[in-house]
């Protein structure tokens, strides 16, 4: 039976120029390169320059996605930007991106699901496209976490970086087969009881300040593998597929130990897992599109490959997305 499906036609990425190594952080924070590498796999991260905004990074990534897709900005009638670090409380960062790209029609709005934001944004855009409410979408993950870190808290400030990634999507018709290209499914979940494990201690309605990131790392770790595994199982089951069908795991990049545990659970060899956490650290909503874009541009991901994406973050919010590239 013919149905609408969202094709991913292109992807784009942006990383700020400034590289900050673990050794550089260790000059001002009580930590070491050895501790950070052993516990997280992180070697370095990028920090946005003064005046560089979530929206400016996102705009560059979005333009890259349009260029690869061979689309004109005027084709876009939906922009969904996942970010926990918007330029301003309002209006949405997505509307700044829309204006930067010279787009004057359609809808643009932000999604807030922290590290799971890109999966949530894909789910929302996919539903718009499949229902015929939009034809061409930009889905973006963009963050400047360096601006919400507490530099006195060594348990969190070493973990995060800045950056942006984007995909350009277009509705097409398909016969429903998992062999055909496009987004096969998205699964999103949340459980607000875990607020205290990962949150920012500020906001317009609570403190009137921006606040800093707070995290019980062990508690997040404990839930991450279980929750993300459940989301992957749901995606495979919904498409009548098995772990053996997956060509690439493109996971949220929070910690190499979590990524390795996910790969082991799926019985995937390491060279089928896209890892950027060593160079990007955790860029929250930007981490999956940045990793996807790297693997597409260096030729690892080929058209027809099956890509499993998964993430979990503050809320807790988590999910998976299965894409036939
Ligand atoms: N440098 C040196 N020592 C440190 C540092 C540091 N940067 N940070 C903590 N330590 C110390 C601790 O104080 C503790 O010392 P103690 O034993 O004397 O008390 C020791 O190292 C061990 O600390 P733990 O917190 O138990 O270390 P753990 O092995 O759990 O690693 C980490 C911590 C890396 C944060 C890990 O728990 C983790 O990655 N958790 C998951 C985080 C995650 O996935 N987040 C994703 C979502 S993020 C989002 O949504 C925005």
């Amino acid at each position: 039976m013919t149905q609408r499906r969202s094709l991913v036609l292109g992807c784009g990425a942006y990383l700020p120029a400034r590289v900050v190594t673990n050794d550089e952080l260790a000059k001002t924070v009580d930590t070491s390169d050895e501790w950070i590498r052993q516990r997280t796999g992180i070697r370095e991260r990028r920090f946005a320059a003064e005046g560089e905004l979530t929206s400016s990074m996102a705009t560059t990534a979005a333009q890259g996605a349009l260029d690869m897709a061979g689309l004109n900005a005027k084709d876009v009638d939906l922009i969904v930007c996942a970010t926990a670090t918007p330029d301003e409380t309002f209006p949405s960062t997505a509307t700044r991106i829309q204006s930067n790209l010279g787009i004057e029609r359609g809808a643009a709005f932000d999604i807030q699901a922290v590290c799971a934001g890109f999966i949530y944004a894909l789910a929302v855009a996919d539903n718009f496209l499949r229902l015929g409410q939009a034809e061409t979408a930009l889905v973006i993950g963009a963050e400047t976490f360096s601006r919400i870190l507490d530099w006195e808290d060594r348990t969190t400030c070493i973990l995060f970086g800045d950056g942006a990634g984007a995909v350009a999507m277009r509705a097409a018709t398909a016969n429903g087969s998992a062999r055909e290209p496009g987004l096969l499914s998205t699964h999103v979940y949340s459980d607000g009881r875990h607020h205290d494990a990962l949150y920012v201690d500020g906001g317009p309605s609570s403190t009137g300040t921006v606040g800093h990131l707070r995290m019980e790392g062990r508690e997040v770790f404990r839930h991450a593998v279980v929750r993300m595994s459940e989301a992957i199982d749901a995606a495979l089951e919904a498409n009548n597929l098995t772990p053996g069908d997956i060509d690439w795991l493109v996971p949220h990049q929070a910690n190499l130990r979590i990524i390795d545990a996910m790969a082991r659970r799926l019985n995937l060899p390491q060279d089928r897992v896209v890892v950027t956490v060593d160079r990007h650290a955790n860029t929250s909503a930007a981490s999956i599109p940045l990793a996807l874009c790297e693997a597409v541009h260096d030729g690892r991901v080929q058209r027809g490959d099956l890509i499993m994406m998964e993430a979990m973050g503050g809320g807790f919010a988590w999910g998976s997305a299965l894409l036939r590239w």
Side-chain angles (χ1 to χ4, degrees), residues 29-32 35-36 39-40 114-116 145 154-155 158-160 198 213 215 217-218 220-221 224 252 254-255 257-258 282 284 312-314:
V29 180
D30 181 16
T31 189
S32 67
W35 191 95
I36 298 172
R39 300 287 174 132
T40 70
V114 207
C115 295
F145 260 53
R154 67 176 182 171
T155 68
I158 50 117
L159 297 171
F160 296 90
L198 182 50
L213 183 146
M215 179 166 74
R218 269 194 195 170
V220 179
F221 203 119
H252 171 49
N255 186 314
R257 286 151 58 205
I258 296 177
N282 182 348
S284 190
M312 190 188 95

Side-chain angles (χ1 to χ4, degrees), residues 10-226:
C11 55
Y14 177 82
L15 287 163
R18 184 164 168 236
V19 177
V20 179
T21 63
N22 293 341
D23 282 333
E24 189 178 339
L25 281 187
K27 287 183 191 153
T28 50
V29 180
D30 181 16
T31 189
S32 67
D33 177 51
E34 195 195 351
W35 191 95
I36 298 172
R37 277 186 201 230
Q38 268 184 9
R39 300 287 174 132
T40 70
I42 297 166
R43 287 191 282 122
E44 60 190 37
R45 73 284 290 142
R46 304 292 185 101
F47 284 163
E50 213 183 313
E52 199 162 39
L53 304 177
T54 296
S55 63
S56 55
M57 298 194 301
T59 302
T60 308
Q63 186 60 61
L66 290 174
D67 291 345
M68 183 182 166
L71 291 169
N72 191 297
K74 305 268 185 278
D75 297 328
V76 174
D77 56 1
L78 177 68
I79 300 176
V80 186
C81 178
T83 186
T85 46
D87 291 5
E88 299 161 330
T89 301
F90 79 82
S92 68
T93 298
T95 56
R96 307 269 310 240
I97 300 163
Q98 184 188 34
S99 148
N100 290 346
L101 291 171
I103 301 169
E104 295 170 4
R105 68 188 191 104
F109 56 88
D110 292 353
I111 290 275
Q112 220 286 43
V114 207
C115 295
F118 186 72
I119 302 284
Y120 269 68
L122 275 180
V124 170
D126 183 42
N127 285 327
F128 268 72
L129 293 175
R130 284 191 299 113
L131 283 172
Q133 204 168 349
E135 292 298 325
T136 306
L138 279 168
V139 178
I140 305 162
E143 304 278 15
T144 43
F145 260 53
S146 63
R147 307 220 164 107
I148 56 164
L149 298 175
D150 175 356
W151 296 103
E152 307 279 305
D153 178 8
R154 67 176 182 171
T155 68
T156 55
C157 72
I158 50 117
L159 297 171
F160 296 90
D162 301 336
V167 294
M169 295 174 36
R170 183 154 228 183
T173 49
N175 65 19
S177 154
R179 301 235 133 261
E180 282 190 309
L183 205 50
L184 302 185
S185 64
T186 57
H187 287 81
V188 288
Y189 311 92
S190 57
D191 183 349
R193 289 174 300 171
H194 299 284
H195 169 275
D196 292 356
L198 182 50
Y199 67 104
V200 166
D201 62 1
S205 89
S206 55
T207 59
T209 61
V210 171
H212 292 117
L213 183 146
R214 306 290 172 210
M215 179 166 74
E216 298 287 339
R218 269 194 195 170
E219 186 67 4
V220 179
F221 203 119
R222 208 164 60 78
H223 283 86
V225 178
V226 179

